[in-house]
Amino acid sequence: MNEILDTVALVLVLIGALLCLTAAIGLLRFHDVPTRLHAATKPQVLGLILICIAIALAVRAWPVAAFLVPIVMIQLATAPLSAHMVGRQAYRNGTIDERSLYVDELADAGRTPPAAGG
């Protein structure tokens, strides 16, 4: 049973590392802010979750699993928030191609000054 869990942990680490690598390559290769944000958040978070599960399986200790749960929760909370902030600032700076947007919910908010809360 230990060998099976070690093999599963190895596969999860490899898949998680591959996802993190694709996120890094996406940050370098994609040309605009929305696609870079997608590359920075989606595969990277899933890769981290898989690596944390692999660590919990490899170590097989409850304190380690309890330590990994807040790491995953903090990552799940901060990745979308930081991507939202970067995307909104890119929109305000005008670095997003507005013709590529299907829905522009910030059209009215873009006219307000940043200090006004818009």
Side-chain angles (χ1 to χ4, degrees), residues 15-100:
I15 293 172
L18 184 65
L19 283 169
C20 291
L21 177 67
T22 58
I25 292 171
L27 284 175
L28 295 174
R29 298 284 300 176
F30 290 148
H31 64 287
D32 61 343
V33 175
T35 54
R36 284 184 179 174
L37 287 177
H38 177 77
T41 55
K42 305 287 191 262
Q44 188 271 332
V45 170
L46 181 59
L48 177 82
I49 291 171
L50 292 177
I51 290 172
C52 287
I53 292 171
I55 291 170
L57 286 176
V59 176
R60 296 179 195 92
W62 285 111
V64 173
F67 182 74
L68 292 172
V69 169
I71 292 172
V72 170
M73 298 306 275
I74 290 170
Q75 184 70 26
L76 287 173
T78 58
L81 291 174
S82 62
H84 174 77
M85 291 173 56
V86 169
R88 188 168 175 126
Q89 190 59 40
Y91 180 84
R92 285 187 175 178
N93 289 342
T95 56
I96 291 180
D97 184 20
E98 292 183 21
R99 294 172 293 162
S100 66

